[in-house]
Amino acid sequence: MALIEVKHLKKYFNTAGGILHAVDDVTLNIEKSTTLGIVGESGCGKSTLGRTIIRLLEPTSGEVCFKGENITSLSNKEFKHLRVGMQMIFQDPYASLDPRMSVSQLIAEPIQTYKLTSSKQELEKRVSDLMDTVGLAARLKNSYPHELDGGRRQRIGIARALSLNPDFIVCDEPVSALDVSIQAQVLNLLQDLQKERNLTYMFITHDMSVVKHISDEICVMYLGQVVEKCQAKELFKRPLHPYSKALLSAIPIPNIHVKQHKIEMKGELTSPIDPKPCCRFAPRCPYAKDQCFASEPQLTDCGNHHYVLCHRVNEI
Ligand code: SF4
Ligand code: MG
C-alpha cells in the first residue's frame, strides 16, 4: 500500500472570470520513504495540489488516502490526529515565520499547539535536538528571523515541520528563494533527513535540475493536469509528452560543442479558467493536429510505469 493515494482529485475555485480548474482530476500514489517530484511552470496547480493533499485546502471532489485511511471524508476533528503526520515546508520561510518570535519559540510552537509535551524541560530538549538536527547552532536560539540568512530561515521551517514527527512532507519550492550555493546544502539536508527518518516527500519545483536530483518518481503538471508520470531516470532519458520534451530541452547543456536541439513552445501558459474539452497544451504544442483541439486525451500506459496524457504519444 502506498503511503499517499490520490484518486481523481479536483480543486476548483470560483473566480469573477469563471471556474478555475487549479487541480483537475489528478490520480497518483507516493510510496513510503520515496520522493515524488512535481514539476511545471508557475500557475500549473502544483502548490494547490500539495495543499489539497494535506487538507490545507478542502478538495472540490476526489479522494486522498493517507496510510490507507480516506482523509477527505473525515471531519476536522477526526482529521486532527492525522494532521501531525502530514506537514509542509514553504517556499518563502520569511513569510511563513512570525517575525516577533525567536528561533526557539518558532520551533516550539507546533509542539505546544499539538500538546505533544507538557514538560518545559522536555520541550527545551526537543527544541535543541531539532536545532541540532537541521544544523542550526545552539547560539541562534534567541535570534529572530530577520537576523538570519535565507538558508537558516529555511532550516527553521524544516525544524517546525519535523517537530511533529511527520511521515509525509510537502516541500513547496523549498530552495527556489535561496542562493544557488545554499540550495545544495538545504537539498542535502532534506535527503539526509529522509534517510534517517524514513520520510516521504512530495517535492514541488519548477527547476528541472532540482527535480532530477531529488526525485524517485516525477509528475509533470500542465494547467491542473498531470501530463506525464514516470520514474525520474525514465523522464530524463525518454520524455514522451511534448511539454516535458520542451521543459527538458530548455535546460542548458554545459558544453558549447554540443548543439542543443531546442523544442520551442509557442506562446504563454493559457489560463485554467473554464478549459475547453481539448488537449490543454494544444495552443502551444508543435505537434498539435485537429484531433488535439477536438477532444481531451486520456492517460496512456506506455509501459514501465510510464503514463502520458497525449493523443499522439505513439506517433511522435
Ligand atoms: Fe500535443 Fe496533441 Fe499531444 Fe496535446 S494531444 S500534447 S496537442 S500532440
Ligand atoms: Mg507555487
Side-chain angles (χ1 to χ4, degrees):
M1 179 184 68
L3 185 83
I4 300 283
E5 295 164 278
V6 175
K7 294 171 198 157
H8 302 292
L9 195 68
K10 295 185 182 175
K11 179 63 188 173
Y12 293 177
F13 296 97
N14 288 314
T15 71
I19 297 174
L20 189 145
H21 295 222
V23 173
D24 211 357
D25 202 2
V26 168
T27 294
L28 56 85
N29 285 349
I30 313 178
E31 299 297 328
K32 190 166 170 44
S33 313
T34 68
T35 299
L36 174 70
I38 305 282
V39 72
E41 289 160 286
S42 67
C44 71
K46 308 184 295 286
S47 300
T48 307
L49 174 64
R51 282 163 198 258
T52 310
I53 289 176
I54 64 171
R55 255 185 89 166
L56 290 178
L57 293 170
E58 291 298 328
T60 304
S61 65
E63 212 176 283
V64 176
C65 295
F66 175 53
K67 297 182 182 174
E69 188 163 4
N70 179 358
I71 61 165
T72 21
S73 63
L74 301 177
S75 67
N76 283 335
K77 203 172 153 216
E78 290 166 324
F79 179 59
K80 206 180 167 205
H81 76 284
L82 290 172
R83 148 70 52 226
V84 291
M86 310 177 95
Q87 292 297 307
M88 185 142 181
I89 298 170
F90 298 90
Q91 169 170 5
D92 180 0
Y94 204 46
S96 61
L97 300 176
D98 186 336
R100 294 160 304 181
M101 289 168 81
S102 69
V103 173
S104 61
Q105 286 170 332
L106 284 163
I107 299 175
E109 186 191 41
I111 305 172
Q112 291 167 313
T113 304
Y114 284 90
K115 300 189 173 61
L116 297 190
T117 175
S118 53
S119 142
K120 193 164 171 263
Q121 259 180 333
E122 162 76 14
L123 181 64
E124 275 174 18
K125 166 98 173 63
R126 285 206 193 193
V127 170
S128 74
D129 287 350
L130 283 161
M131 287 184 67
D132 190 43
T133 302
V134 300
L136 282 170
R139 66 181 158 78
L140 297 174
K141 72 176 196 234
N142 297 320
S143 303
Y144 289 86
H146 74 269
E147 299 172 308
L148 305 175
D149 61 26
R152 290 200 176 85
R153 288 202 289 254
Q154 191 53 289
R155 287 172 197 267
I156 303 174
I158 297 169
R160 278 168 63 87
L162 290 180
S163 69
L164 301 173
N165 283 322
D167 299 286
F168 176 58
I169 303 181
V170 174
C171 308
D172 188 2
E173 304 259 12
V175 299
S176 307
L178 304 177
D179 290 345
V180 176
S181 58
I182 296 174
Q183 286 190 358
Q185 294 172 15
V186 173
L187 288 176
N188 289 340
L189 171 63
L190 288 169
Q191 287 183 305
D192 291 345
L193 292 169
Q194 178 169 48
K195 279 190 219 111
E196 284 160 25
R197 297 173 174 237
N198 281 323
L199 293 168
T200 306
Y201 291 148
M202 174 180 244
F203 196 100
I204 296 170
T205 180
H206 63 274
D207 186 328
M208 292 305 276
S209 3
V210 168
V211 85
K212 180 181 186 181
H213 178 73
I214 197 126
S215 312
D216 297 293
E217 285 196 292
I218 295 178
C219 286
V220 180
M221 276 187 84
Y222 191 80
L223 289 183
Q225 297 177 317
V226 171
V227 296
E228 182 155 9
K229 182 163 73 172
C230 61
Q231 296 285 321
K233 285 195 195 90
E234 171 90 356
L235 182 71
F236 286 85
K237 216 166 56 194
R238 195 171 70 110
L240 294 178
H241 194 282
Y243 179 60
S244 312
K245 288 178 197 265
L247 285 180
L248 283 170
S249 75
I251 305 176
I253 298 171
N255 180 347
I256 50 164
H257 303 297
V258 176
K259 192 168 178 303
Q260 208 167 345
H261 177 64
K262 269 204 178 222
I263 299 173
E264 295 288 348
M265 279 187 281
K266 297 174 276 183
E268 298 286 311
L269 190 75
T270 48
S271 131
I273 292 178
D274 297 328
K276 295 185 186 71
C278 65
C279 171
R280 290 183 196 175
F281 189 56
R284 294 171 88 187
C285 182
Y287 305 99
K289 288 213 164 148
D290 290 351
Q291 174 194 22
C292 306
F293 293 94
S295 68
E296 281 196 65
Q298 303 296 317
L299 213 55
T300 305
D301 183 348
C302 301
N304 203 13
H305 304 286
H306 197 154
Y307 298 88
V308 181
L309 192 72
C310 171
H311 285 302
R312 305 192 61 214
V313 64
N314 295 319
E315 304 161 51
I316 54 182

